[in-house]
Amino acid sequence: MYEFIPKRAFFEKDALEYPTGKNIYLKMQELGVDTQIIGTHNRVTGIPGKTPQEAYFEAKRTLVVSVRRTLDFETCKPSAHYQLPLVTSCPGECEYCYLNTTLSKKPYIRVYVNIDEILKKAKDYMEKRAPEVTLFEGSATSDPLPVEIYTGFLKKTIEFFANQELGYFRFVTKFSNVDPLLEAKHNKKITVRFSINSETIIKQFEHKTPSLDERINAALKLAEKDYKIGFMIGPIIYYPAWEYEYDKMLSKLAESLKGYKDTLEFELITHRFTVKAKKNILQVFPKTKLPLEEKERVFKFGQFGYGKYLYPAEVMEELKNFFQEKIREYFPAYNILYFV
Ligand code: SF4
C-alpha cells in the first residue's frame, strides 16, 4: 500500500490554529518527521538544494502546511469551470510532469488547512453561476491523493459536493490509496480519473508512483462504490513497442473493470513538450530517455504565446486510429472525451 512519509514538514504558525493543521503536526511528530514552524508568509526557505536536481528531490520530500490566503479560484478550461485549490504539487517524480513549468524549482507539497473557507468559496461560485451547474477540478496544480491520509480533504470535498445541487467535482490521480474515499457519500457527483500509461512507460518515467495494476485496482474499488470513473491515458508515447504495450494495457483495463465498461470515460493525450519543459527536465533528469528531439516533432504555437513540439500529423493519425479502434473494441460505449 502506498504511503507518503515526508522527510521534513514546515508549518505556518496560523495553520496550527486549524484542527487539520494540528492533527498533521501531531502525526508528523509521531512519524519522527523533522518539523519546523515558520512565519505566516508564503516563502519557504530551509529546503536544501545546491543543484536543480538536489532542489527538486529534496522538495519532493517536503510537506508545507499553510493557510490559503487568496480565495479567488483560477479558471480551468476545458476540463472544468474552476480549479479547487486543495494541494499543490505531489510526491511523485514523473519526468514529464505537467507541473514542470508551472511550479518553482523546489516543487514542495503544500496543503491548505482552511478547507472550510475554500469550500465556502466554492459555494459562492456555484451561486453566482446558478442556475447553470459548475464543475470544479481538484488536481489542476497537484495530485491530491498521496496526502489524503494526512488531510482527509478529498473525502470532505466529496461529501460537500454530494450535497450541492449545482456543483460537480472531479480530480485525476496516478496514486492508489483510495481506501479513505470508499465510505464517502458521493451521490454520483464526483468523477475520479486515473492517469495511466503502459507498464514500461510507468516504470521508466513515473518514479515514486504506484504501478498500473495498483491504479487499476484502485479504480475498481471506487467503481464498486458507484463512483464515476475515467482514465486519462497519457502522455501517449510513440516508442518501438507502443502498439503491443498499449493494447496490453487496454485489454487489462477491460478485463479488470468488465462490470463497468460502459460507464468509463477516456481522455487521450499524446506526448508534447515546450522549450522550457525540456530545459527543466534535462536539469533534473540529465539521463532521461524521454523523446525530446525537436527534429522529430512539429512546432505549434500555443494559445499563451509559447509553442509546443508535437508528434507529426502522420504519427498523430496513427495513434488516434489505434486508440479509437482499440477502445471501440474493448469498451463498447466508446466514451472518448478527447484526443489531443
Ligand atoms: S503524479 Fe502527476 S503531479 Fe505528481 S509528479 Fe507525476 S505527473 Fe506530476
Side-chain angles (χ1 to χ4, degrees), residues 60 90 92-94 97-99 142-143 174-175 209:
K60 285 283 185 171
C90 109
E93 295 169 359
C94 305
C97 178
Y98 67 110
L99 302 172
S142 71
D143 189 318
K174 284 185 169 70
F175 287 81
T209 64

Side-chain angles (χ1 to χ4, degrees), residues 106-282:
K106 289 188 178 173
Y108 53 81
I109 301 113
R110 191 193 277 271
V111 302
Y112 301 106
V113 291
N114 49 335
I115 177 87
D116 293 323
E117 286 162 50
I118 294 169
L119 294 178
K120 189 172 165 293
K121 187 72 186 185
K123 182 128 182 128
D124 292 347
Y125 279 107
M126 280 181 257
E127 281 166 5
K128 264 190 216 143
R129 284 181 38 85
E132 302 289 318
V133 295
T134 308
L135 200 56
F136 293 87
E137 167 67 61
S139 43
T141 56
S142 71
D143 189 318
L145 194 54
V147 289
E148 179 66 10
I149 37 164
Y150 302 125
T151 64
F153 287 168
L154 284 173
K155 181 165 189 248
K156 189 158 186 164
T157 303
I158 288 167
E159 296 196 327
F160 167 81
F161 278 98
N163 293 319
Q164 303 304 317
E165 248 177 64
L166 295 175
Y168 287 84
F169 177 57
R170 57 204 269 123
F171 67 92
V172 60
T173 185
K174 284 185 169 70
F175 287 81
S176 56
N177 52 307
V178 295
D179 287 5
L181 311 184
L182 298 180
E183 297 316 318
K185 289 181 198 67
H186 58 80
N187 277 345
K188 301 195 179 184
K189 304 290 292 285
I190 317 298
T191 307
V192 185
R193 295 114 80 217
F194 287 85
S195 165
I196 57 168
N197 219 309
S198 73
E199 283 172 84
T200 305
I201 297 294
I202 290 177
K203 260 192 223 123
Q204 196 160 21
F205 301 116
E206 299 186 356
H207 316 293
K208 302 266 172 69
T209 64
S211 66
L212 176 64
D213 284 348
E214 287 170 301
R215 294 180 210 179
I216 295 176
N217 284 340
L220 179 61
K221 282 187 190 173
L222 290 177
E224 284 169 347
K225 293 287 180 182
D226 249 359
Y227 277 91
K228 204 166 165 203
I229 299 298
F231 288 97
M232 186 181 261
I233 304 174
I236 296 169
I237 297 193
Y238 192 71
Y239 64 108
W242 70 272
E243 268 177 298
Y244 172 73
E245 298 203 352
Y246 283 125
D247 183 22
K248 207 167 118 197
M249 175 192 81
L250 288 168
S251 100
K252 182 181 266 195
L253 205 58
E255 179 55 29
S256 311
L257 284 144
K258 52 176 176 268
Y260 305 94
K261 275 191 198 177
D262 292 346
T263 58
L264 305 176
E265 286 177 0
F266 291 92
E267 294 159 88
L268 307 172
I269 305 170
T270 55
H271 181 251
R272 68 255 340 265
F273 59 90
T274 61
V275 172
K276 192 172 168 202
K278 177 173 174 177
K279 193 170 152 244
N280 290 355
I281 293 167
L282 290 175

